Amino acid sequence: MNVRIGADATEDEASAIASALAEHTDDDEIRVFVGDDDEPILVREVDLTAPIEDDLGPTEREERLREEIADIEAGGPPKYKEQLSEQGKLFVRDRLDLWFGDGVAFEDGKFAHFDAWHPNAPDVDEYDESDRVPADGLLTGAAEFEGRDVHFMANDFTVKAGSMAGRGVEKFLRMQQRALKTGKPVLYLMDSSGGRIDQQTGFFANREGIGKYYFNHSRLSGRVPQICVLYGPCIAGAAYTPVFADFTVMVEGMSAMAIASPRMVKMVTGEDIGMQELGGPKIHAEHSSSADLVARDEEHARDLVAQLVGYLPDNSDEKPPKAKPRAPRKDPKGIDSVVPESPNEGYDMERLIERVVDHGSLFELQPDYGKEILTAFARVDGRPVGIVANQPAERAGAIFPDAAEKAASFVWKCDAFNVPLLYLCDTPGFMAGSAVEKEGILEKGKKMIYATSAATVPKQCVIVRKAYGAGIYAMSGPAYDPESTIALPSGEVGIMGPEAAINAVYANKLDDIDDPEERAEMERELREEYRRDIDVHRMASEVVIDEIVPPSELRAELAARFEFYEGVEKERPSKKHGTVL
């Protein structure tokens, strides 16, 4: 801004004029000229980054509001807050500090149900500390977590054991609906005893009641990552949020979830059981598969989720974030030494994986469930991948019902969030027998094959050693539209292994040989002949597989193929949806 004043004006007068104008201008500089001078007598820079100071300040009305907010943020009755340390857990707002620090952008609905309990509310005649229900026991808002914008909800266990009622339910639903609009991940920090039974007419069966939680969970599923951490016993309706979430973390000695409380179970069935035995971390990590990870404590839970989100995009329209490439933990030159010569000898598949993926990037999910298959996120040359690997150290890597179900779920999630898939195949196939038939080996095996078939992300299949029976189907073999099927020189592909094949085809012929030595020699010859027939060299010769790769070059080969096929596009047939769940 240029200002010209009278020729007889002094520099002090020019300064006073510049100061007065500074309060009203949007320019960042004021130049004051005297008379007809070409050069300004004074140049004043205006700080547009700071507000103009005046004698106004917060009113009593604002101070009263701040006091009300502080009272709300104090949580429920003090006696319940004091009990949290005995239970080894944090007050909900301290938990938010642990997760987000100063990263909470805003909170919605702090004043939910304010009129029912606060002494400043017009309908509260007499304040009773035991009636405190600040924020209606549920906090919702938005925050920055590990550099990512997220929606969050968190139960306040000091308010009626984190139970859910009308206002809190409305906040929960609004948070979910906003996540559908923003396409940003959702964190559920759960510590709830379920719905408040004495208030159920206000939220239980309503169109916009608690049942809508799970409708919205279903709508969000595959759209944005939904991650749930359990900090206490989540019973009945509250237990459905963790099982609807894409990833669920439980905390040792603290978390539990069940369709009904132990007291209700005893009333209905007569079974006398404790909460941990009914639905603690061990139950859901080893048996039900409802828990993906188990944390040691609150800090560890946050750390696990911080690692997890590093492999996931914000939503289904985006690609997962890349990281700076790192060399593998161990030299790829040792890969061939890790894989035993005999197809029946066990070994730990992780010993191979650590020579393929970036150092420190392996992040296994559901490690204690369906151990015959390993499911994990990792990075190859900085690029996130989802690994589905048979585990020969567990029951020879045969695919049991639990393992098939675990793999199907993991593949489905990777495909939803655009994470490329790496299959490491070393399996005798699906397990047989009456026990697994009762456990649904066909149904659960179908789900694994379906998920692999329907996945549209880039897929690479590596035949590490044996690929027998329908195992090669479930592990995204040549018929399942992988971008590549490559093999190590130890690979074998066949309907069954040599021992089973010889027994099936030549049993009568061998039984006719009386001399044990002659019979053993015949078995050896037949076994070697069969192994030549299923050796990957024959598969490569017939172009069933794309390439046999020197083991020490496997990592580089995979990195090149994932990079090349990064933008591949696949279309599913036009239809409403498949019928396999």
Side-chain angles (χ1 to χ4, degrees):
M1 172 184 284
N2 293 332
V3 179
R4 192 170 294 277
I5 58 179
D8 57 349
T10 66
E11 186 171 344
D12 288 342
E13 290 172 327
S15 179
I17 290 171
S19 296
L21 290 173
E23 295 189 13
H24 302 283
T25 184
D26 292 328
D27 294 337
D28 57 6
E29 189 176 78
I30 297 172
R31 294 171 294 279
V32 181
F33 296 83
V34 173
D36 296 327
D37 292 349
D38 294 331
E39 295 296 325
I41 189 175
L42 180 142
V43 177
R44 169 70 58 83
E45 292 185 356
V46 181
D47 184 3
L48 298 179
T49 64
I52 299 168
E53 294 185 6
D54 55 31
D55 58 355
L56 299 178
T59 63
E60 290 185 10
R61 179 173 53 191
E62 180 176 341
E63 293 299 336
R64 187 167 60 252
L65 175 62
R66 290 183 180 278
E67 290 172 1
E68 291 170 349
I69 291 172
D71 194 15
I72 291 169
E73 292 179 345
K79 66 177 181 179
Y80 296 126
K81 196 171 180 180
E82 292 165 4
Q83 292 172 3
L84 293 176
S85 59
E86 300 171 9
Q87 300 167 358
K89 57 187 178 183
L90 297 171
F91 173 53
V92 63
R93 293 192 180 276
D94 295 332
R95 182 172 294 145
L96 295 185
D97 286 341
L98 170 67
W99 276 78
F100 309 124
D102 296 329
V104 175
F106 54 82
E107 184 179 334
D108 289 318
K110 271 186 185 173
F111 283 82
H113 222 26
F114 179 83
D115 286 349
W117 66 277
H118 199 276
N120 290 1
D123 296 332
V124 176
D125 297 325
E126 186 175 345
Y127 173 69
D128 186 341
E129 187 178 84
S130 63
D131 290 334
R132 290 178 59 88
V133 285
D136 206 24
L138 186 79
L139 282 59
T140 61
E144 182 181 295
F145 177 67
E146 299 296 312
R148 310 275 287 275
D149 288 338
V150 299
H151 298 269
F152 72 83
M153 64 74 59
N155 300 105
D156 183 351
F157 199 72
T158 68
V159 177
K160 298 187 180 297
S163 59
M164 298 173 292
R167 301 295 184 272
V169 167
E170 186 171 354
K171 289 164 63 174
F172 193 118
L173 295 177
R174 287 185 183 181
M175 182 270 297
Q176 291 180 308
Q177 289 156 357
R178 286 163 179 164
L180 280 167
K181 294 178 181 178
T182 65
K184 297 183 186 299
V186 182
L187 295 179
Y188 302 96
L189 307 181
M190 294 286 296
D191 192 359
S192 174
S193 60
R196 284 181 215 157
I197 297 174
D198 59 340
Q199 299 177 31
Q200 61 181 298
T201 54
F203 65 86
F204 174 65
N206 306 44
R207 289 183 178 87
E208 296 297 322
I210 199 168
K212 200 62 170 275
Y213 282 14
Y214 318 120
F215 178 86
N216 287 341
H217 279 310
S218 302
R219 300 252 293 162
L220 285 165
S221 180
R223 174 56 184 158
V224 302
Q226 298 181 84
I227 301 171
C228 180
V229 182
L230 290 186
Y231 291 103
C234 288
I235 307 299
Y240 280 103
T241 287
V243 297
F244 265 101
D246 300 307
F247 305 97
T248 296
V249 181
M250 297 184 76
V251 183
E252 288 179 358
M254 188 184 300
S255 299
M257 56 178 163
I259 197 70
S261 68
R263 182 166 53 183
M264 184 63 70
V265 168
K266 187 172 184 179
M267 183 185 303
V268 173
T269 70
E271 183 183 11
D272 192 357
I273 191 170
M275 191 68 240
Q276 288 298 307
E277 292 72 29
L278 179 64
K282 184 177 178 66
I283 298 300
H284 292 299
E286 298 181 17
H287 301 287
S288 77
S289 81
S290 293
D292 294 282
L293 297 162
V294 178
R296 296 184 300 270
D297 51 34
E298 294 220 20
E299 290 78 9
H300 187 216
R302 186 202 182 280
D303 180 59
L304 289 173
V305 176
Q307 293 179 65
L308 174 61
V309 298
Y311 299 97
L312 301 170
D314 280 349
N315 57 60
S316 57
D317 291 335
E318 299 181 4
K319 298 289 187 182
K322 295 179 183 178
K324 183 178 180 181
R326 298 178 68 177
R329 181 172 178 269
K330 290 189 177 179
D331 198 323
K333 292 177 182 177
I335 288 176
D336 202 36
S337 299
V338 167
V339 183
E341 183 74 24
S342 169
N344 298 323
E345 185 178 339
Y347 68 99
D348 187 352
M349 181 60 80
E350 284 196 32
R351 293 181 59 210
L352 183 149
I353 292 173
E354 69 182 355
R355 297 174 185 271
V356 171
V357 305
D358 295 12
H359 190 170
S361 72
L362 185 66
F363 187 75
E364 187 175 0
L365 296 169
Q366 297 188 322
D368 298 319
Y369 181 75
K371 294 182 179 181
E372 304 82 27
I373 285 181
L374 182 154
T375 53
F377 290 117
R379 296 185 184 89
V380 176
D381 201 34
R383 178 177 284 100
V385 298
I387 297 176
V388 180
N390 303 116
Q391 178 53 288
E394 296 286 341
R395 301 200 277 195
I399 304 174
F400 282 73
D402 286 353
E405 187 173 51
K406 162 181 163 179
S409 176
F410 180 72
V411 168
W412 209 231
K413 292 172 187 177
C414 287
D415 190 55
F417 296 119
N418 304 313
V419 181
L421 286 161
L422 170 59
Y423 290 80
L424 299 174
C425 181
D426 190 345
T427 180
F430 287 94
M431 189 60 189
S434 62
V436 293
E437 292 298 343
K438 291 175 183 176
E439 294 169 5
I441 186 64
L442 289 170
E443 281 298 308
K444 294 177 181 179
K446 172 186 71 175
K447 292 179 182 180
M448 182 177 177
I449 292 173
Y450 176 81
T452 294
S453 304
T456 61
V457 294
K459 297 180 290 187
Q460 310 289 343
C461 171
V462 180
I463 300 171
V464 175
R465 194 173 53 165
K466 56 188 179 294
Y468 300 158
I472 186 63
Y473 305 157
M475 296 300 289
S476 196
Y480 287 80
D481 195 29
E483 275 47 68
S484 309
T485 302
I486 60 179
L488 301 185
S490 47
E492 296 180 342
V493 182
I495 293 176
M496 59 187 69
E499 301 294 340
I502 291 167
N503 183 62
V505 178
Y506 299 107
N508 292 334
K509 184 176 182 179
L510 290 169
D511 286 344
D512 291 339
I513 302 175
D514 295 327
D515 183 4
E517 291 185 5
E518 185 181 347
R519 188 187 309 115
E521 178 62 21
M522 175 63 74
E523 286 182 5
R524 187 191 66 77
E525 291 176 1
L526 290 170
R527 190 183 305 112
E528 289 306 311
E529 181 182 341
Y530 185 83
R531 291 195 71 176
R532 285 194 297 274
D533 199 43
I534 65 174
D535 185 273
V536 288
H537 287 79
R538 176 158 294 180
M539 297 293 116
S541 175
E542 296 176 358
V543 202
V544 173
I545 63 171
D546 295 294
E547 191 63 276
I548 304 174
V549 178
S552 25
E553 296 178 13
L554 178 61
R555 171 182 161 85
E557 182 87 12
L558 289 171
R561 289 176 181 270
F562 275 123
E563 181 180 10
F564 185 85
Y565 289 112
E566 183 176 25
V568 70
E569 294 183 2
K570 302 180 185 180
E571 292 186 0
R572 296 190 180 108
S574 177
K575 57 184 177 181
K576 193 171 184 179
H577 55 68
T579 61
V580 180
L581 286 176

